[in-house]
Every structure is written in structure tokens, then in C-alpha cells.
Amino acid sequence: MLYLRLSCFLLHVLVVFGTELTFELPDNEKQCFYEDLEKDVKFDIDFQVIAGGNYDVDSFVTDPLNNVLYNEKKKQYDSFSHTTAMKGVYKVCFSNEFSTFTDKTVYLDFRHGDEEPIIQTMTAPVALTQLESSCVSLHEILKVVADSQTWYRLREAHDRTKAEHLLERVTYWSIGETVLLFVIGIGQVMMLRSFFSEKKGSVAAPT
Amino acid sequence: MVSVRMRSCVLSVLLLNVFYNVVSSLYFHIGETEKKCFIEEIPDETMIIGNYRTQLYDKQREEYLPATQGLGMFVEVKDPDDKVILSRQYGSEGRFTFTSHTPGEHQICLHSNSSKFALFAGGLLRVHLDIQVGEHANNYAEIAAKDKLTELQLRVRQLVEQVDQIQKEQNYQRYREERFRQTSESTNQRVLWWSIVQTLILVAIGIWQMRHLKSFFEAKKLV
């Protein structure tokens, strides 16, 4: 019976609830995601802007009664946690409406813990042997390592995008300035020559 | 006796998990001709499983009901080199799987295959989407049943998969860092060369201008 309970416990612990999405947000648009949650569920929202313009986005979170739980403008990355007070559809929106021509790429991580009550009714933690409890703690630590890797991967993507933009801009500016230099250099000489060509008659007179 | 009960427990857990996976996922609205794209930056040899479920707004009942069978979603997956690795049409509910062979940003695009504009009736299609990457894509209940593992063995198997994924991600990080370094070094080189070339061009144009004007004025007998 204990073995049975343990198996149920372990199998439940193995399931992870959460959604990670990286999506493109075109300029002047808003994108909303909805999640149906029970009462007294803790959810975490993490988002980061990884490409586009000034790497910032407006975001807000509302509960089923349209009360605003979180509202921030022009943030590059942020984290928001909340325990639901009622059952219903919670909405998280990202808005790029302040931007006229830059598309943004936003990473969103929405985690919620629906399964926790089930684990508590199944078995008490004291039933685990030392081996099993070290497996559980290893699993938790590895989850933290994986999350940390995701964080660094996003920061690196952000920095790499910036570096690639810089390279592009330097290239275009170099070409543009070369052309500009030649045009101005030759243009100045041509204009000067044209000044003196017109006044040829009047200049020649004094000598 | 114990194994029979354990098996029924595994089955009930599996069913519960399936139920939860169907019910609890993030959803968003998509227009008729709209294409929604999601980016997954993954190392190579990583499996991705995507589940989606669609619902259409029923004006009479004023709620979202599961979409009709005729309405499907077109799923297109592109690899980092912009080559299409999956391009298929699924029904109103579907599940797509692919494994990456090159590390990098893969793009998963969804759009509805509806050609009859009247079908949406000015409303929007609600799409529930769930994308599982790498180790999260493994179905442990299935693995336990197939390989006949005890719970401890299953737990260790999961740890092995997690560590595997971490190692793949680290290899990918090394590859990305190299790309980043190349980009930075290109920029550095270009800025350096451009400064030198610009100085030379300026000096050359200055000299040319003066010589040209001097000869011009001499010809005009002004100097």
C-alpha cells in the first residue's frame, strides 16, 4: 500500500505544469494569452524582450473580473507572482503599440501549480527513503540549473541581436559615408567651377 | 495483487495527466488569415512536441465550442537555416513532433486553413497551445510501462534525461558564444578599417580639390 502511494506521489511529481513561449510582436499590436485557473493557485509570469528596437514592451495582467493585477510600461524583463483569489480566466497581455516600426520578440514563461493539492493528499514526505529524497532534491536542483541556463540563453540572444544590429549599422554607415564623401568632394569643386565660369566676362575686365 | 493495483494506479495517473494536459494550457486568439509564429531556440538532437486544440466562437450559444472537423490548422516548422522541416495540416486538434538536427532558432508557425471567410463569422479562433521541449517532452508513465521500471529507476532515468539536456544546452552555448565573438570581431575590424579608410579618403579628396582648383584658377589667369 505504501509502495502504491509512493508510486502515485512520484509519478505526480514528475509532471511539470507551465508554458514557455517565444513569440513575435509586430509593431502597433497587442498579443494576449489566457489561462483558466482555479482558486488559490499560485502562478508565476516571467517575460523578457529578446529582440527589437529598445528591447522594451508594455505588459499587464488582469483577473477574471478585469481588475488589473500588474501593469508596467516599457519594461525589458520582469517577473510577477500572484495567488489567485477566484476561479476564472486570467489574461496576460503584451503591447507594442507605442512602437511605430520595430517588431519585438518576447519570451514568456507562465507557470502555475495546479497539481499541488493532489500530492499532499497522496502521501507524506516522511515516507520517502533517503535515496528517494536525494533523487527528489537532485531533480529540484537540476530544474534550477535548467532555468538558469534558459535565463543565460535569453540574455545571450538579446546581446547577440544587439551586436548583429551594430554590425549592420556600422556596415551601412561606412558605405553611406564613403558615397557621401565622394559626392561632397566632387560637388564642391563642380560648384566652385560653375561660379567662376559664369563670371568669366566680368573677372577678365580689370586685368 | 500489488502489481495489478499499481498498474491501475499508473493508468489513473496517466489519465489524470492527459486530462490536465488537455485542460490546462495557455490559449490565445487568432484571426482568419493570421499566422502566428513562435520561436524555439534549442540545441541539436532535441525533440519538441506541440499540442494544440482549437475552439470556435458560436454566436447562438455565445460561447466557445470545439471547432468543426473541417477546420484545421496548418503547422509549418523552419530550422535556423530557413529550411522547412515540417509542413503539415492537422485537424482541429493536433499534435506535432519534430527533432532538431541543427542547433539554433526554430520557428513554429500556425495558421488556419479556412478559406471560407464566413466560417469565422467575424469572430476569432481560440487556440490552446502547449509546446514541450527536450526532457519535458518525455512521457514518463509510458517509459515506465514500456521498460518496466520501478519508481526509483524512473526517477533516476528522469535525472539522466535532465542532465543530458543540460549538457546539450551547454554545447549549444559554446557554439553561440563563438558566433557572438565572430560578430563582435567583425564589427571591430570594420570600424578599424573604416576609420583608416575614411581618413585616407578625406586627405586624398582634400589634396585633389586643392590641386584641381589651383590648376583651374591658373588656367583662368586668376592666380
Side-chain angles (χ1 to χ4, degrees):
Chain A
M1 194 53 204
L2 190 68
Y3 202 33
L4 189 66
R5 289 232 228 104
L6 269 174
S7 70
C8 289
F9 166 68
L10 283 173
L11 279 168
H12 266 283
V13 168
L14 290 172
V15 171
V16 173
F17 280 156
T19 313
E20 270 182 358
L21 285 175
T22 309
F23 59 95
E24 278 172 13
L25 194 57
D27 51 309
N28 280 323
E29 272 190 38
K30 192 168 81 157
Q31 175 73 45
C32 290
F33 292 95
Y34 308 81
E35 179 88 48
D36 204 348
L37 295 171
E38 299 290 326
K39 190 167 173 309
D40 293 331
V41 168
K42 183 167 183 292
F43 67 86
D44 295 288
I45 295 175
D46 277 315
F47 72 88
Q48 274 197 46
V49 184
I50 55 178
N54 276 330
Y55 302 86
D56 54 2
V57 75
D58 294 344
S59 63
F60 61 89
V61 178
T62 56
D63 71 356
L65 300 173
N66 262 334
N67 299 325
V68 175
L69 300 171
Y70 169 88
N71 188 3
E72 291 288 339
K73 302 273 169 214
K74 301 203 176 179
K75 279 283 225 179
Q76 292 196 353
Y77 58 86
D78 207 358
S79 199
F80 172 68
S81 255
H82 184 75
T83 308
T84 59
M86 68 195 89
K87 176 177 149 67
V89 173
Y90 285 76
K91 178 169 84 162
V92 52
C93 287
F94 298 96
S95 162
N96 195 21
E97 282 154 345
F98 59 85
S99 172
T100 35
F101 52 86
T102 40
D103 296 351
K104 304 271 161 72
T105 305
V106 181
Y107 162 85
L108 166 70
D109 185 13
F110 193 117
R111 288 186 306 273
H112 60 277
D114 267 321
E115 76 280 44
E116 267 155 3
I118 296 175
I119 292 176
Q120 277 153 22
T121 54
M122 289 303 278
T123 182
V126 75
L128 294 176
T129 65
Q130 236 184 0
L131 200 53
E132 279 152 356
S133 56
S134 26
C135 278
V136 171
S137 45
L138 266 175
H139 176 66
E140 294 298 319
I141 291 170
L142 286 178
K143 272 207 291 204
V144 170
V145 172
D147 279 345
S148 160
Q149 277 192 324
T150 304
W151 172 263
Y152 281 115
R153 187 189 74 220
L154 293 170
R155 298 315 301 157
E156 191 273 343
H158 171 124
D159 295 337
R160 184 168 28 92
T161 316
K162 261 194 175 155
E164 283 171 358
H165 274 159
L166 183 64
L167 181 63
E168 221 180 275
R169 271 184 260 166
V170 164
T171 310
Y172 287 145
W173 173 238
S174 316
I175 296 171
E177 207 181 328
T178 314
V179 168
L180 200 65
L181 272 176
F182 277 117
V183 163
I184 287 181
I186 296 173
Q188 279 179 330
V189 170
M190 291 299 132
M191 271 191 74
L192 271 172
R193 280 172 67 131
S194 71
F195 288 155
F196 287 98
S197 308
E198 284 167 39
K199 295 175 188 166
K200 199 165 101 176
S202 58
V203 171
T207 53
Chain B
M1 190 59 192
V2 173
S3 66
V4 166
R5 275 155 78 185
M6 199 154 40
R7 201 144 275 270
S8 67
C9 172
V10 167
L11 266 168
S12 69
V13 162
L14 182 63
L15 276 171
L16 267 171
N17 289 334
V18 164
F19 173 69
Y20 269 116
N21 276 329
V22 163
V23 165
S24 68
S25 40
L26 213 59
Y27 65 82
F28 55 92
H29 293 130
I30 189 171
E32 188 108 21
T33 48
E34 220 183 316
K35 190 169 179 178
K36 275 277 187 301
C37 289
F38 299 95
I39 298 169
E40 289 292 334
E41 197 176 350
I42 46 177
D44 60 353
E45 306 311 321
T46 303
M47 183 164 76
I48 288 197
I49 295 181
N51 288 297
Y52 75 87
R53 184 164 68 90
T54 54
Q55 285 177 327
L56 197 56
Y57 189 67
D58 189 330
K59 273 209 171 126
Q60 288 156 339
R61 289 197 235 178
E62 286 190 357
E63 60 169 358
Y64 279 87
L65 296 173
T68 58
Q69 286 309 107
L71 185 66
M73 294 290 282
F74 201 81
V75 176
E76 191 183 47
V77 178
K78 285 199 194 152
D79 76 353
D81 305 318
D82 258 346
K83 198 173 62 131
V84 176
I85 54 178
L86 178 74
S87 178
R88 258 192 68 178
Q89 189 173 297
Y90 295 85
S92 61
E93 261 182 52
R95 182 190 156 103
F96 55 91
T97 309
F98 67 92
T99 306
S100 62
H101 297 292
T102 38
E105 284 189 0
H106 290 70
Q107 200 182 45
I108 301 168
C109 287
L110 295 163
H111 64 270
S112 72
N113 69 339
S114 161
S115 51
K116 298 171 286 199
F117 288 96
L119 203 63
F120 276 47
L124 297 167
L125 190 67
R126 182 180 280 186
V127 181
H128 295 250
L129 183 65
D130 182 36
I131 298 178
Q132 300 293 336
V133 176
E135 182 263 326
H136 298 291
N138 286 335
N139 187 342
Y140 289 103
E142 203 182 286
I143 293 173
K146 188 169 71 104
D147 294 342
K148 297 187 181 36
L149 300 174
T150 66
E151 292 66 36
L152 194 59
Q153 286 172 335
L154 186 66
R155 174 60 93 187
V156 171
R157 174 71 69 91
Q158 191 195 28
L159 288 175
V160 167
E161 297 283 338
Q162 270 188 303
V163 169
D164 222 6
Q165 191 66 29
I166 287 172
Q167 187 192 29
K168 277 191 213 163
E169 186 81 32
Q170 286 197 317
N171 283 337
Y172 178 44
Q173 181 157 16
R174 196 182 306 167
Y175 163 84
R176 282 194 318 264
E177 191 275 337
E178 198 182 309
R179 256 186 65 187
F180 191 177
R181 192 169 12 102
Q182 278 174 358
T183 306
S184 293
E185 281 178 358
S186 284
T187 308
N188 186 27
Q189 281 236 335
R190 276 183 215 192
V191 166
L192 183 68
W193 277 114
W194 169 238
S195 316
I196 294 173
V197 167
Q198 184 185 25
T199 314
L200 288 174
I201 288 179
L202 274 174
V203 168
I205 281 191
I207 293 174
W208 174 79
Q209 278 184 327
M210 290 303 111
R211 278 171 57 174
H212 186 86
L213 282 173
K214 187 161 177 238
S215 61
F216 175 68
F217 287 138
E218 277 170 354
K220 296 251 181 276
K221 300 195 176 49
L222 292 168
V223 173

